[in-house]
Each structure stands twice: as structure tokens, then as C-alpha cells.
Amino acid sequence: MLAKRLGRVGLVACILGLLNLVASLDADEIQNPAARPDENKNSAKVSVLPPAADDVRQAVRQGIVRYRSTRTKPKERAAALKQLALLGQDGIAAAKDLLNKELQQVEMVNGLAKKPSKFDAAIKKLRKTLVDLRQDPDLSKDQLQKVGLPALDGLKVVYLQRAKAMAAQAAKNASFVESLRQMIVSLQLLQEQGFLDSPLPVNDFLQRARTQLKELSSDEDEQARAILAKNQAMASQFSSDVLRGMDALNSLRMTCGLPPLLYDAKLCEAARGHSKDMQTRDFFSHESPVEGKKTPQDRGRLAGTTVLGENIYMGSSASIDALKAWFLSPGHHKNMLSESAHRQGLGHEGRYWTQMFGVGDGEGK
């Protein structure tokens, strides 16, 4: 009887031991999932990558960090892109993503810049008023005083406001411009190393970057910028009063939506000569009594250039007074705002002023 009882106790102890062992194994699996049998390795909840894949991912992360931390170093950026491109599909995708994000940000800025500003409608309306006046064959001084001057005054205010807004936006865009320039240099370096379309489409990214840089860095009129730069280079040749008058005319033209005029030293010479003749010979006319200088074209020819038109004024030694008078005189007004003129010259002697206009570059071009 005792033996039977002991046998039963031993059996129960054995069963309890087995249960504890099973519980212990289950707990170990919970704490160490990777130690489960092979059939559980592909579980959706557990991702075990081979060492090689881990190395690639780490290298991709390093390449991304390297690219982002060398924004002002084109050679290092090119090296980072090359590193990524050589890492296979993951690296190529990361390089494309970096370049795309930079370009998309600039494209968004350029897209906003192309939208009409709150000033554009007012500027367009006021400019049209002045164009209609110029094209009126019966234009009178009274029209210029009652319609032209108020339109010009309003246009100056709105034009200045827009110019300030554009300058503020240009300052904001400066960082994008520099970033694009650095990107272009980096991509060009990759081109030199044989990266054109594969494994990284360098040519496509380079074209996009150049397009965005051109749109972002260009102002209202590149032609105007070029003319003003040439004028600045020639400024030392002219007196301050002549420069003020020529600059004032160019400001007027640009405000009205017309290109500025190129300074022409030969036209200035002819203009000053006629002003001096009018003062010393006491006459006021486009037709000169001086031999060989009868017409504006004659005077331009003697100075070595050609003449499209001429304005004359008598009454003040200040160039701005001459321009105001010409603005209110129909014929002179049309000369100053002519779409055919490309060059200007200004000269004075005492209270006499002469303004001359030419086409082309003055050298037959």
C-alpha cells in the first residue's frame, strides 16, 4: 500500500517537473525570439537581415549625412553622391531623393514667383494710360498735365513698392541660388567622372538645376541689367549733372515698361556742342546756323555717330528741369519714350540743354 502511494507521488512529481520545464522554455522564447525554431524566422513581426544588407544600409545613411553636411563643398558633395550611386539600388534611390527634394523646393519657390503680384494689375493699367497718350497723334500738353503726370506719379509709387517686394524676395532666394550653384558644380564633377545617365541620371538633374537657377536668379529684364552694367562702366566719362539727367530718363523709361538707353559719349559730345552753339550764337532751334551742323544728323555725323531724334530746352541749368519740360511737350515726350531708341546723349551749356537719341549700338550694329 505504501509502495503504491509512493509510486503515485513520484508520478505527480514527474508531471509537475515536465510542466515547469515547458513553462521555462516558453519564457525563454518570449525573452529571446531569435532563438525560436527555423520555421518562425520569416515571421512578419521579426526581420533579421543578413550582415551584408546591414552594411549597405549603414553606408547609405553615412552617404546621406555626408551629402547634407557638405552643402558648400561641391567636391565632397560629388563624392557623397558617387558613394551612394555605387551602393546599388538603395544608394541610388537615396541620391535621387536628396537631389529631388532640393530641386522640388526651388521649383515651388519659382512657381510662387511666377504668380502675378498684387502690384502687377495697377502697374499694367497705369502703363497703358501712358502708352495710349504716346500713341495719340493729337497729344497735347494739357493731356500730359491732366492725365500723363498723375498716371506717372501713381506708377512711380506702385513701381517702387513692387521693386522693394522683389528685392526682399531676392534676398530670401539668395540661399536657394547658392545651393543650386553648388549642386551644379557637384553634378559637373560627376559628369567628368563618367556619370551621365547611369547609375545616376546626372544629365537630367543638371538640366533641371540649370533651368531653376536661371529662373531664380533672373530679374524682370536681363537686357536692362546688361545695359545698366555697361552704363555703370562708362559713368566716369560724364559730368555729374549729365549723369543725373541720363539716369533720370532711364528710370522714367523702365518705370513705363521700356528698356533703358545706353550712354553714348559721341551723342553727348554732339549734344553739348549744339547747346554751346545755341548759347554763344544766341539762338534756340533744332536748325543750326553753324556751317556743317545744320541738322541733328549733321551734328551726329561730325561726332562720328548717327542720330534718331533730338530734344532741346532752355531755362535752367538743372537736367531734371529739362526732363520735366520735355515730358510735358508732346513731341519731346514721344522722343524720350520712343521704342525705337537704343542710345542717348545729353549735354548742356549754361541754361541750354540738348538731348539726342540713336538706334543700334552707334557702330552700325
Side-chain angles (χ1 to χ4, degrees), residues 176-237:
F176 291 112
V177 170
E178 184 58 28
S179 178
L180 282 171
R181 287 174 177 161
Q182 297 292 342
M183 179 188 289
I184 288 171
V185 174
S186 300
L187 293 172
Q188 287 173 333
L189 290 171
L190 286 176
Q191 272 190 331
E192 293 171 4
Q193 297 175 44
F195 285 78
L196 302 176
D197 298 309
S198 179
L200 189 66
V202 171
N203 286 341
D204 291 343
F205 282 116
L206 189 56
Q207 184 177 353
R208 281 176 64 190
R210 284 171 172 163
T211 299
Q212 294 306 315
L213 179 61
K214 184 177 180 180
E215 292 185 12
L216 194 63
S217 58
S218 65
D219 58 14
E220 187 177 14
D221 192 338
E222 291 185 11
Q223 179 191 12
R225 276 196 308 158
I227 293 171
L228 295 176
K230 289 180 180 178
N231 287 348
Q232 182 63 34
M234 294 188 289
S236 60
Q237 302 178 39

Side-chain angles (χ1 to χ4, degrees), residues 126-329:
L126 291 167
R127 282 178 172 173
K128 186 177 186 306
T129 298
L130 292 169
V131 169
D132 291 343
L133 288 174
R134 294 198 299 275
Q135 293 178 347
D136 184 351
D138 300 318
L139 180 62
S140 66
K141 182 175 182 178
D142 187 59
Q143 283 178 287
L144 288 170
Q145 286 180 320
K146 293 180 179 179
V147 180
L149 276 180
L152 180 61
D153 289 340
L155 182 56
K156 285 179 179 178
V157 171
V158 183
Y159 189 77
L160 180 60
Q161 289 174 338
R162 188 184 67 166
K164 288 180 179 179
M166 290 176 66
Q169 186 60 50
K172 292 180 181 179
N173 291 348
S175 61
F176 291 112
V177 170
E178 184 58 28
S179 178
L180 282 171
R181 287 174 177 161
Q182 297 292 342
M183 179 188 289
I184 288 171
V185 174
S186 300
L187 293 172
Q188 287 173 333
L189 290 171
L190 286 176
Q191 272 190 331
E192 293 171 4
Q193 297 175 44
F195 285 78
L196 302 176
D197 298 309
S198 179
L200 189 66
V202 171
N203 286 341
D204 291 343
F205 282 116
L206 189 56
Q207 184 177 353
R208 281 176 64 190
R210 284 171 172 163
T211 299
Q212 294 306 315
L213 179 61
K214 184 177 180 180
E215 292 185 12
L216 194 63
S217 58
S218 65
D219 58 14
E220 187 177 14
D221 192 338
E222 291 185 11
Q223 179 191 12
R225 276 196 308 158
I227 293 171
L228 295 176
K230 289 180 180 178
N231 287 348
Q232 182 63 34
M234 294 188 289
S236 60
Q237 302 178 39
F238 311 105
S239 64
S240 58
D241 50 0
V242 166
L243 273 177
R244 279 194 297 270
M246 292 195 293
D247 284 344
L249 175 58
N250 278 343
S251 294
L252 171 64
R253 288 178 61 89
M254 292 174 69
T255 301
C256 292
L258 296 167
L261 301 178
L262 190 66
Y263 298 162
D264 189 319
K266 293 178 180 178
L267 283 178
C268 286
E269 178 188 341
R272 184 174 184 277
H274 187 56
S275 295
K276 185 175 183 179
D277 289 341
M278 287 192 292
Q279 184 189 55
T280 56
R281 300 217 177 196
D282 194 24
F283 74 95
F284 182 69
S285 173
H286 291 289
E287 187 172 306
S288 173
V290 180
E291 186 177 353
K293 292 185 175 182
K294 183 176 182 179
T295 67
Q297 287 69 32
D298 291 334
R299 296 189 283 276
R301 194 176 303 112
L302 284 175
T305 188
T306 57
V307 176
L308 172 67
E310 179 184 80
N311 289 343
I312 56 175
Y313 165 82
M314 178 184 67
S316 170
S317 59
S319 58
I320 194 67
D321 291 334
L323 262 72
K324 287 178 181 177
W326 287 328
F327 183 86
L328 294 172
S329 173

Side-chain angles (χ1 to χ4, degrees), residues 100-117:
N100 271 322
K101 283 181 178 177
E102 280 192 53
L103 288 170
Q104 286 167 0
Q105 193 173 15
V106 178
E107 287 164 353
M108 181 180 69
V109 172
N110 275 332
L112 293 173
K114 289 176 183 177
K115 293 182 179 179
S117 74

